[in-house]
Amino acid sequence: MSDPIIITYTNLLHKYHDTNAKEVKKFVEQHKKDEVFVRRAKALNELFALKKDLVDL
C-alpha cells in the first residue's frame, strides 16, 4: 500500500526545502486534477513558507 499523495508531497518538501523545486512542481502538476490534494498542498505550502520565515529570522 502506498502513502497518500499529500504524505508523498510533504516528504518532497522536506527533501527539497523548496515549494518551487523542479521535482516538487512536477509532482503537483501530475496531481493537479485532484482538488482535495491541491487544496491541501496550498495549505501545506503556506505552513512551509511560515516555517521558513521563522527559521530565517
Side-chain angles (χ1 to χ4, degrees):
M1 182 176 209
S2 61
D3 289 331
I5 59 175
I6 195 65
I7 299 299
T8 303
Y9 183 69
T10 302
N11 291 339
L12 285 171
L13 288 178
H14 283 288
K15 181 176 182 179
Y16 294 103
H17 304 280
D18 185 1
T19 57
N20 291 314
K22 179 181 170 185
E23 294 80 358
V24 174
K25 290 183 120 181
K26 180 179 175 184
F27 187 83
V28 171
E29 181 66 24
Q30 291 171 341
H31 299 284
K32 69 181 180 183
K33 292 184 181 180
D34 184 330
E35 294 177 17
V36 172
F37 166 72
V38 171
R39 186 178 70 244
R40 291 176 179 173
K42 285 180 182 179
L44 194 55
N45 288 349
E46 290 177 18
L47 289 173
F48 190 79
L50 287 173
K51 177 186 172 265
K52 190 172 184 180
D53 286 346
L54 290 173
V55 170
D56 290 341
L57 287 177

